[in-house]
Amino acid sequence: MRHIGKALFIATVGVLALSGPVMAEEASSAVLANTCFSCHGPDGKSAGAMPWIAGKSTDYITKVMIDFKTGAMDSTVMQRIAKGFSDDEIKALAQYFSTK
Amino acid sequence: MTRITRRSFNKMAGALGATAAMSLAGYPRMAAAASPRVVVVGGGFGGATLARYLHGFDSNIKMTLIEQSKSFVTCPFSNTVIAGMNKIDRVTHGYDGLRGLGIDVVHDTATGIDPAKKTVSLKGGGTLAYDRLVLSPGIAFKWDAIEGYDEKASGSIPHAWKAGPQTVLLRKQLEAMPDGGVFIISPPVNPFRCPPGPAERVSLVANYFKTHKPRSKILVLDPKEKFSKQGLFTEGWKQLYPGMIDYINLSNDGKVVRVDVKGMTLHTDFAEHKGDVINFIPPQKAGAIAEAAGLTNDSGWCPIDQRTFESTVHKGIHVIGDTSIASPMPKSGFAANTQAKVCAAALAAMLKGEDPGTPKFVNTCYSLVAPDYGISVAMVYGFDQGKIVKIKGSGGLSPSGAPAAVRKREADYARGWYDSITRELFA
């Protein structure tokens, strides 16, 4: 199985290289994070009443977003927005903002 | 480059045939110029965001932004000016921030496009060449749609649906109106810019009347059966402005068929309504340059590839914001902003001959029912089978019957959103 997987990987990457860049299954981290800036400011650096999210830890952002999704944490609009992001997307967002 | 996880790798391996075909057939590589030229028409929520983000993705791009006004007055929060909560300066923004990034901001009007030669002609006489053109001209009004209401009429019965002098005019009229007067507002048919905007305007004018002219009344004549966030607005109106607002929908003869400017009267099929101040918001269509360039279809708006916002009429021209058909997204400044970011990412990739990537959008429309009473509607959008789709289970309205503290928080967030997005665009 392992060998078949490796062979498939090589074959696939070979074809991908020929076909040009991969069409992403999901939006890139940059495109995902850009959706947050409209309220939370560029790179999550809020200008006003919206919470600042730049530089918060990956674990913290992930937990808060998951808690918004499940309803474990109270919110106004974020419980409605967090439900629009998969767990993988939330991880990508958390990693993005933790480095800002 | 997207990080390849095992899961996405497996998915990719499965979808490989389709992916390869799409890359070859859908998005051919372009002969990449050393410094590609991108011209952006319109410096509002769509155009200003596009210019800034495309510059951020690739500062090598030579970018020109064409905007007729020296400053941008936002429609969001212009209702607070009409209601006397803010001065017009609070919602006016300049272009020095964009200039500081090296973006060439030209104050002129685009009058024509030659999609074959890839040029834009300007009212001032010049012609600009582009490799890619982005149009974000906002809305135009259908001046001929309702008898008696043309551009001249808006000098005495303002629409105030493009912020600026019209906003100030409506404010002055409301200030001059005697206590006990009648303010009539007539919203347009769908689709139009900012669906919750008319009801927010009603709310904040009601708040002004309540504190300054408490015997005054507001009449809403709607050519539609219902309006955005109706349940939440109605709940707020009952609580805060009991007896002040009379809403008449289509079934109850709410459709205005004639505007009598001299008589300050709106005629419906079966009645006439005289107002002391009238705000008539005409039906809308794509911005003038989009129509002039033949980019619109029978609906009056611009059909696009919803992945890249490239026009399906003319290649090389992308259309974002109100003027595009980006349904199921609404026509809002927030939507234009989030669309511009997706379009910028796609353009940056396409100009390098790369795949434009997958879109993701968020829209949140805040409305103020009173200065400390906010409500919202939100939605998250993804992309599936060539179309923008609502992500199931996401989005929706603020809860009904929420305590005052929750309404206060949403009002604070409305202001926080405004501060963030205007700084994002213009700082």
Side-chain angles (χ1 to χ4, degrees):
Chain A
M1 261 321 270
R2 190 171 288 176
H3 290 296
I4 293 168
K6 195 175 176 185
L8 176 64
F9 181 79
I10 290 165
T12 307
V13 170
V15 177
L16 287 176
L18 288 174
S19 70
V22 179
M23 185 177 294
E25 285 292 324
E26 292 171 343
S28 68
S29 298
V31 167
L32 289 173
N34 284 348
T35 65
C36 309
F37 300 171
S38 315
C39 290
H40 292 281
D43 284 337
K45 294 166 185 173
S46 169
M50 287 290 177
W52 178 290
I53 48 177
K56 307 269 192 214
S57 77
T58 308
D59 287 351
Y60 173 80
I61 297 171
T62 306
K63 183 181 183 329
V64 169
M65 284 291 282
I66 299 288
D67 284 352
F68 283 147
K69 257 177 107 164
T70 61
M73 183 176 279
D74 183 40
S75 69
T76 54
V77 74
M78 278 310 298
Q79 59 198 325
R80 292 174 262 155
I81 290 173
K83 286 183 186 127
F85 292 85
S86 69
D87 290 357
D88 282 351
E89 287 176 327
I90 286 172
K91 273 181 202 156
L93 285 173
Q95 279 166 5
Y96 181 94
F97 285 110
S98 68
T99 63
K100 296 299 166 184
Chain B
M1 187 68 197
T2 310
R3 196 170 51 86
I4 301 175
T5 61
R6 182 180 300 171
R7 194 177 62 82
S8 62
F9 169 73
N10 288 340
K11 271 196 199 171
M12 270 181 338
L16 192 59
T19 305
M22 270 303 274
S23 293
L24 291 171
Y27 305 102
R29 282 164 186 274
M30 281 167 280
S35 275
R37 297 157 303 176
V38 173
V39 174
V40 184
V41 178
F45 282 96
T49 307
L50 188 287
R52 182 170 290 253
Y53 274 76
L54 189 51
H55 173 82
F57 282 123
D58 186 352
S59 59
N60 190 39
I61 293 169
K62 189 177 176 309
M63 196 134 37
T64 307
L65 175 68
I66 304 167
E67 164 56 47
Q68 54 194 9
S69 304
K70 292 273 163 63
S71 56
F72 177 58
V73 186
T74 64
C75 280
F77 275 72
S78 67
N79 284 334
T80 69
V81 177
I82 289 165
M85 293 159 57
N86 284 311
K87 298 291 181 197
I88 196 81
D89 300 2
R90 177 76 177 83
V91 293
T92 305
H93 307 270
Y95 291 98
D96 287 349
L98 287 171
R99 284 201 177 90
L101 296 172
I103 295 161
D104 190 14
V105 182
V106 177
H107 294 299
D108 207 329
T109 304
T111 51
I113 297 165
D114 186 332
K117 287 184 185 160
K118 294 195 164 186
T119 56
V120 181
S121 49
L122 302 176
K123 196 176 181 180
T127 301
L128 288 169
Y130 63 82
D131 294 301
R132 290 264 159 183
L133 174 65
V134 183
L135 299 185
S136 188
I139 54 160
F141 296 116
K142 293 182 180 175
W143 292 117
D144 47 355
I146 311 290
E147 186 188 343
Y149 197 76
D150 55 13
E151 188 161 13
K152 185 165 171 277
S154 70
S156 45
I157 294 184
H159 54 77
W161 218 245
K162 288 184 182 182
Q166 282 276 305
T167 311
V168 175
L169 176 62
L170 182 54
R171 173 61 198 157
K172 282 184 178 160
Q173 291 179 347
L174 288 167
E175 271 184 313
M177 192 189 89
D179 188 11
V182 174
F183 170 55
I184 308 178
I185 177 169
S186 180
V189 292
N190 291 324
F192 67 104
R193 162 180 282 178
C194 190
E200 183 190 65
R201 183 169 292 178
V202 167
S203 305
L204 294 183
V205 171
N207 188 72
Y208 166 65
F209 286 168
K210 185 181 174 181
T211 45
H212 292 82
K213 297 167 183 181
R215 294 189 298 114
S216 306
K217 299 281 184 198
I218 300 175
L219 174 63
V220 188
L221 296 174
D222 197 347
K224 303 182 294 299
E225 292 296 354
K226 54 194 172 93
F227 62 91
S228 174
K229 303 183 199 169
Q230 185 161 356
L232 289 169
F233 276 115
T234 306
E235 176 187 324
W237 293 349
K238 275 185 190 157
Q239 187 185 331
L240 301 171
Y241 318 115
M244 185 182 279
I245 301 161
D246 193 7
Y247 172 78
I248 300 177
N249 70 356
L250 177 64
S251 295
N252 290 292
D253 195 32
K255 183 186 171 189
V256 173
V257 295
R258 186 160 76 86
V259 179
D260 175 3
V261 175
K262 276 189 186 160
M264 283 297 283
T265 302
L266 297 182
H267 295 258
T268 61
D269 280 332
F270 301 104
E272 49 190 74
H273 303 274
K274 191 168 164 54
D276 294 283
V277 176
I278 299 177
N279 174 203
F280 187 81
I281 307 166
Q284 296 157 26
K285 59 181 180 178
I289 184 64
E291 195 177 57
L295 295 164
T296 53
N297 65 14
D298 290 346
S299 72
W301 307 94
C302 296
I304 50 162
D305 171 347
Q306 290 193 330
R307 180 190 291 275
T308 61
F309 291 82
E310 187 167 5
S311 166
T312 54
V313 179
H314 290 303
K315 292 284 163 200
I317 303 174
H318 300 248
V319 187
I320 57 174
D322 292 347
T323 214
S324 69
I325 302 174
S327 51
M329 297 186 76
K331 297 187 186 301
S332 73
F334 199 125
N337 169 264
T338 189
Q339 289 162 11
K341 292 170 185 174
V342 165
C343 182
L347 268 175
M350 292 166 85
L351 285 165
K352 289 180 193 148
E354 294 172 2
D355 184 280
T358 301
K360 184 92 178 182
F361 311 89
V362 173
N363 181 64
T364 306
C365 288
Y366 283 105
S367 303
L368 295 174
V369 183
D372 284 328
Y373 190 123
I375 55 176
S376 63
V377 61
M379 185 53 66
V380 182
Y381 302 88
F383 191 76
D384 189 36
Q385 297 181 20
K387 287 192 180 339
I388 299 170
V389 293
K390 294 178 179 179
I391 305 280
K392 276 186 187 157
S394 76
L397 294 156
S398 305
S400 60
V406 171
R407 302 296 190 218
K408 169 74 165 65
R409 272 169 73 196
E410 289 226 281
D412 289 340
Y413 286 150
R415 287 181 276 268
W417 163 72
Y418 186 79
D419 291 340
S420 280
I421 199 165
T422 51
R423 193 168 80 168
E424 180 187 30
L425 266 67
F426 297 108

